Amino acid sequence: MAHTLYKFLHGYMSKYKFLYLAWLLPAYLLFLIAHQGTVFVSLIDTYENGASYTADVIDYELKQIAAQTNGYIVLRFETGSGNLVQQKLSLPVEMAGKLSEIRVIPIRYQEDAFQNIVMIPTFSIQKGLILTNMAMAFVGFLIALYVALSAHRHARRKLTGPKNEFIIERID
């Protein structure tokens, strides 16, 4: 089967057409920037318009694996309407240190928001992390855009340019 696929691709597709796939990377990074922007706007909205509660820390774990440190926190609180909400939130190392000793955390909660819980002690850290993620994705987008444009130009030049075919002419 692999041989048949190779014959199909070799016979009908030029290897240079695959260079157009380079556009997937800037497209993904643009999606990542939009996602982080949505998280940022929702974070601000929840902080400004959400209801204030105090949440009990049910579980807290910090994992340190080689050069990577992250963890999670499980919060439980009761809303004004009497609903009991329990949610597990991922916890980057920057936020973990500030929350390690706290057992009751003041939060803002907005039920239908994309980012529905904002922990007030780590709000500024979370904003900074989101903006940093957006900035890094934007720099990566610019680099990937340059690479994709270069690959596109190279592929177009190879596919539409003069064909270097070896022709043997018989002269009698």
Side-chain angles (χ1 to χ4, degrees):
M1 171 149 172
H3 181 68
T4 307
L5 180 63
Y6 174 77
K7 281 178 67 177
F8 169 76
L9 291 175
H10 186 66
Y12 296 104
M13 299 259 319
S14 169
K15 62 183 175 184
Y16 296 107
K17 287 186 180 179
F18 288 109
L19 290 176
Y20 291 121
L21 292 176
W23 285 105
L24 292 176
L25 185 58
Y28 171 71
L29 289 169
L30 196 59
F31 166 76
L32 192 61
I33 292 167
H35 176 268
Q36 289 296 302
T38 304
V39 170
F40 185 77
V41 168
S42 181
L43 179 80
I44 299 296
D45 183 50
T46 300
Y47 184 77
E48 291 176 352
N49 302 319
S52 295
Y53 298 106
T54 55
D56 296 321
V57 176
I58 303 302
D59 193 13
Y60 171 86
E61 185 174 332
L62 186 63
K63 299 176 185 176
Q64 294 181 332
I65 306 168
Q68 179 182 351
T69 303
N70 61 7
Y72 66 87
I73 191 168
V74 179
L75 301 176
R76 182 171 40 197
F77 60 96
E78 188 173 331
T79 64
S81 60
N83 295 335
L84 188 63
V85 177
Q86 182 170 322
Q87 192 165 340
K88 181 178 182 179
L89 304 170
S90 63
L91 206 55
V93 67
E94 293 87 351
M95 293 168 57
K98 214 166 189 182
L99 299 174
S100 63
E101 301 298 321
I102 302 175
R103 293 291 157 226
V104 177
I105 299 175
I107 62 167
R108 298 282 172 102
Y109 177 71
Q110 192 171 2
E111 186 175 357
D112 296 329
F114 188 70
Q115 188 75 24
N116 61 350
I117 294 178
V118 175
M119 295 179 284
I120 294 174
T122 60
F123 173 68
S124 61
I125 296 171
Q126 195 169 1
K127 269 192 341 183
L129 284 173
I130 294 170
L131 291 174
T132 301
N133 287 344
M134 286 176 66
M136 287 189 299
F138 183 71
V139 170
F141 170 75
L142 292 177
I143 293 168
L145 186 64
Y146 174 75
V147 170
L149 282 169
S150 298
H152 185 94
R153 273 191 245 125
H154 180 70
R156 188 178 62 219
R157 192 170 38 248
K158 290 293 186 177
L159 292 170
T160 62
K163 304 291 184 213
N164 294 333
E165 295 180 22
F166 185 66
I167 299 173
I168 301 176
E169 292 184 24
R170 184 175 172 182
I171 303 175
D172 289 337

